[in-house]
């Protein structure tokens, strides 16, 4: 069966057919295609285009087709170029000529746009669910580490002491924005193009508002030309997914570095690290390297689609069929990755001892400057003095706290005995109590806010 070809004399060239076919991947939206057709059959019946009996026959036939797909019994035929063709072909085999009435006023252009939006909405829900699980893993892993001190880095250089929960929770908020971004994308995706026809709209009095609602969309699209060709929702989804991937790659990189024996901050569970075939001592963070690496293809999928869309002329063009494989790949990639990253975060062990040993008094140089600031020195000047103390310590070959008071006082008369209290990592962290800071109490509040954020996701 062909959906078109009435005006053609010769069949399509075999290689063109293979190039044209999208059934290999768009069959994944069979459920959305059938749901769209069921709603459409009911909508054109309500509009008086087909009789209620015809509509019932078509719907019953479509439900049979759905069952075949669900039970893995659907047989594809050589002429099934895409999922729309395949479903309609099978429907007609079940219900006869009446099946041919389903496509009245409809085109595969508004049909595919509708199916693909529905599939994307469902995919966003699945991804968001997985991101949430990772956020929960971060929340539970961090709960034990409000007081655990570790080096904080900028430029990957030891900078200031932070608490380990603070480090972990930094990823929570990246993922929170990802979840919100996915929600925004879903809202814009939830517009129904069905009823746009091939490009100009439908000549039948279809109630598009009711049709949109029946399918779980919020509203119909406003312009049929835009309706059949808008793929912003795919581009936006690819961006939202790429950014999830970028965030995962950063978390992965931290875990890779911190589990390196030179750091020894993290021990990965046996189930989530791999050995070497030649070097028995090795514990490779393979899953994390894949998390880091796969960000590349997620970004590539986004730039690929944007490049396809750029410069397309008005309305539908076959180029738009290229909108499927990239999104399928990005969704599959993250659905494979997110549960593994979640498990890694759940099962990793932070080594509090090693974290503390990695703290170096040079990380208190800012606190030393703050000490002088409290005694009235402008911060810029205090920064300079503290820098000279760092240099003095290096000259003497000692840590900051071992620089004699006389040497300090030679650099500034504001130094007194009580400067000794500066050289305390926990006190340094504890001073950063303002909202968003690393003090244990501030992190406790942050953690509570993170938990509330998760609770609000349900509502
Ligand atoms: N498989 C096509 C796609 O994904 C369906 C739409 C075909 N429309 C057409 N006019 N050839 O875009």
């Amino acid at each position: 069966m062909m959906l078109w070809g009435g005006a053609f004399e010769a069949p399509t060239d075999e290689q063109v057919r293979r190039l044209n076919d999208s059934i290999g991947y768009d069959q994944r939206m069979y459920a959305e295609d059938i749901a769209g057709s069921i709603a459409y059959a009911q909508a054109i019946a309500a509009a008086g285009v087909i009789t209620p009996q015809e509509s019932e026959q078509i719907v019953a036939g479509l439900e049979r087709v759905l069952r075949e797909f669900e039970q893995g019994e659907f047989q594809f035929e050589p002429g099934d170029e895409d999922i729309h063709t395949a479903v309609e072909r099978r429907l007609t085999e079940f219900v006869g000529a009446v099946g041919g009435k389903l496509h009245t006023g409809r085109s595969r252009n508004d049909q595919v746009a509708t199916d693909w939006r529905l599939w994307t909405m469902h995919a966003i829900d699945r991804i968001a669910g997985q991101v949430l699980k990772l956020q929960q893993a971060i929340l539970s892993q961090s709960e034990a580490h409000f007081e655990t001190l570790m080096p904080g880095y900028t430029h990957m250089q030891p900078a200031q002491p932070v608490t380990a929960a603070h480090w972990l929770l930094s990823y929570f908020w990246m993922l929170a924005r990802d979840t919100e971004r996915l929600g925004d994308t879903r809202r814009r995706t939830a517009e129904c193009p069905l009823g746009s026809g091939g490009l100009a709209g439908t000549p039948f009095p279809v109630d598009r508002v009711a049709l949109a609602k029946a399918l779980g969309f919020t509203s119909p699209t406003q312009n049929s030309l835009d309706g059949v060709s808008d793929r912003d929702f795919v581009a936006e989804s690819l961006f939202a997914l790429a950014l999830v991937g970028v965030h995962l790659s950063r978390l992965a990189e931290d875990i890779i570095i911190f589990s390196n024996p030179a750091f020894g901050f993290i021990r990965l569970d046996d189930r989530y690290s791999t050995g070497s075939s030649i070097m028995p001592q090795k514990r490779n963070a393979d899953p994390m390297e894949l998390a880091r690496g796969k960000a590349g293809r997620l970004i590539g999928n986004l730039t690929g689609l944007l490049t396809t869309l750029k410069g397309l002329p008005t309305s539908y063009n076959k180029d738009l069929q290229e909108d499927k494989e990239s999104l399928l790949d990005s969704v599959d990639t993250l659905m494979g990755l997110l549960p593994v990253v979640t498990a890694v975060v759940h099962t990793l062990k932070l080594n509090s001892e090693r974290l503390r040993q990695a703290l170096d008094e040079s990380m208190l140089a800012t606190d030393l400057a703050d000490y002088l600031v409290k005694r009235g020195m402008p911060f810029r000047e205090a920064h300079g003095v503290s820098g000279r103390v760092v240099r003095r310590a290096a000259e003497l070959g000692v840590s900051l706290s071992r620089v004699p008071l006389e040497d300090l006082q030679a650099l500034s008369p504001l130094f007194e005995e009580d400067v000794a209290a500066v050289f305390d990592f926990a006190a340094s962290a504890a001073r950063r109590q303002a909202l968003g800071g690393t003090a244990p109490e501030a992190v406790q509040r942050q953690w509570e806010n993170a938990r509330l954020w998760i609770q609000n996701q349900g509502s």
Side-chain angles (χ1 to χ4, degrees):
M1 188 196 89
M2 287 275 282
L3 292 184
W4 49 273
F8 288 68
E9 279 180 10
T12 314
D13 173 84
E14 189 49 30
Q15 297 184 80
V16 171
R17 192 186 62 68
R18 273 202 295 275
L19 180 67
N20 216 37
D21 283 0
S22 52
I23 190 68
Y25 45 87
D26 69 15
Q27 56 179 276
R28 287 184 54 183
M29 54 182 187
Y30 72 83
E32 288 79 9
D33 187 76
I34 293 171
S37 286
I38 289 176
Y40 192 69
Q42 288 160 344
I44 54 175
V49 178
I50 59 173
T51 67
Q53 292 76 12
E54 288 172 329
S55 166
E56 276 162 33
Q57 273 178 277
I58 291 172
V59 170
L62 286 167
E63 282 166 352
R64 277 182 73 182
V65 180
L66 179 63
R67 245 169 287 134
E68 280 197 341
F69 270 106
E70 283 171 346
Q71 286 159 9
E73 281 161 8
F74 189 95
Q75 299 286 332
F76 291 100
E77 299 288 339
D80 295 345
E81 64 174 77
D82 54 27
I83 186 62
H84 327 294
T85 318
V87 170
E88 193 175 328
R89 190 257 312 151
R90 191 66 180 135
L91 169 68
T92 307
E93 286 169 7
F94 282 145
V95 303
V98 67
K101 293 196 173 187
L102 170 62
H103 214 53
T104 314
R106 188 175 70 168
S107 156
R108 277 184 298 160
N109 296 352
D110 58 347
Q111 189 179 1
V112 71
T114 304
D115 297 357
W116 195 222
R117 279 177 186 260
L118 280 178
W119 191 92
T120 302
M121 286 152 65
H122 299 152
I124 287 175
D125 294 341
R126 285 189 291 140
I127 297 280
Q130 289 300 327
V131 173
L132 203 64
K133 286 190 181 149
L134 173 55
Q135 290 179 277
Q136 276 157 342
I138 292 174
L139 211 58
S140 73
Q141 178 67 253
S142 58
E143 196 174 4
H145 296 289
F146 293 148
E147 314 260 344
T148 308
L149 292 168
M150 67 180 279
Y153 299 86
T154 62
H155 314 269
M156 215 43 226
Q157 300 294 319
Q160 289 177 349
V162 296
T163 47
H166 197 52
W167 164 68
L168 278 166
L169 286 170
S170 68
Y171 288 98
F172 179 95
W173 300 109
M174 295 180 215
L175 296 167
R177 291 191 296 277
D178 287 332
T179 307
E180 288 167 10
R181 194 171 291 112
L182 286 165
D184 291 342
T185 302
R186 193 192 198 282
R187 256 188 299 290
R188 273 184 294 278
T189 304
E191 288 188 3
C192 184
L194 201 53
S196 299
L199 75 161
T202 175
F204 303 102
V206 173
D207 181 347
R208 291 194 59 220
V209 173
L211 180 56
K213 294 257 146 72
L215 280 168
F217 290 102
T218 12
S219 56
T221 52
Q222 293 296 315
N223 180 303
S224 60
L225 295 170
D226 182 44
V228 296
S229 69
D230 171 19
R231 294 296 183 276
D232 292 4
F233 68 98
V234 186
E236 275 190 59
S237 299
L238 287 170
F239 172 70
L241 299 179
L243 199 45
V244 172
V246 167
H247 291 150
L248 295 186
S249 78
R250 296 190 61 194
L251 174 60
E253 172 68 356
D254 275 3
I255 293 176
I256 291 165
I257 294 178
F258 291 167
S259 63
N260 183 299
F263 282 76
F265 295 174
I266 287 176
R267 183 169 173 91
L268 293 177
D269 192 278
D270 279 358
R271 286 166 298 169
Y272 302 108
S273 44
T274 48
S276 157
S277 57
I278 175 167
M279 298 159 283
Q281 85 284 9
K282 292 195 69 187
R283 297 175 67 79
N284 297 333
D286 280 24
M288 293 297 92
E289 290 172 41
L290 287 169
R292 189 175 59 186
K294 282 180 189 293
R297 67 196 285 160
L298 295 168
I299 295 165
N301 286 338
L302 169 64
T303 53
L305 181 78
L306 287 174
T307 311
T308 296
L309 297 180
K310 180 200 165 293
L312 278 187
T314 177
S315 178
Y316 181 85
N317 298 273
K318 187 75 171 187
D319 316 44
L320 292 175
Q321 181 168 287
E322 290 293 310
D323 68 350
K324 310 277 175 332
E325 285 158 295
S326 53
L327 186 56
L328 290 169
D329 181 71
S330 288
V331 169
D332 291 347
T333 298
L334 282 179
M335 288 304 288
L337 201 53
L338 281 162
V340 175
V341 178
T342 303
V344 167
V345 170
H346 245 305
T347 56
L348 64 78
K349 295 259 181 298
L350 284 172
N351 185 333
S352 309
E353 195 101 321
R354 287 294 295 256
L355 288 168
R356 193 169 239 290
Q357 283 163 5
L359 294 169
D360 180 289
E361 282 180 359
S362 65
M363 291 177 218
L364 299 170
T366 317
D367 296 81
L368 193 62
D370 292 340
Y371 170 94
L372 294 171
V373 168
K374 285 213 192 87
R375 277 151 192 76
M377 189 182 282
F379 180 75
R380 278 292 146 239
E381 202 186 317
H383 182 284
V385 173
S386 175
R388 285 190 281 282
V389 176
V390 170
R391 212 163 63 200
R392 185 71 190 131
E395 281 164 13
L396 296 172
V398 297
S399 62
L400 281 192
S401 65
R402 299 274 176 254
V403 176
L405 187 58
E406 309 82 76
D407 291 44
L408 293 180
Q409 286 169 337
L411 291 167
S412 166
L414 293 177
F415 283 119
E416 287 174 51
E417 289 282 342
D418 64 352
V419 70
V422 167
F423 302 108
D424 177 338
F425 299 116
S428 163
R431 271 193 290 278
R432 286 160 173 86
Q433 280 184 24
L435 181 72
T438 197
E441 302 93 285
V443 175
Q444 171 88 46
R445 268 179 283 144
Q446 179 189 165
W447 190 90
E448 291 295 345
N449 287 337
R451 212 182 42 156
L452 282 177
W453 185 95
I454 286 193
Q455 272 169 17
N456 288 335
Q457 289 311 295
S459 52

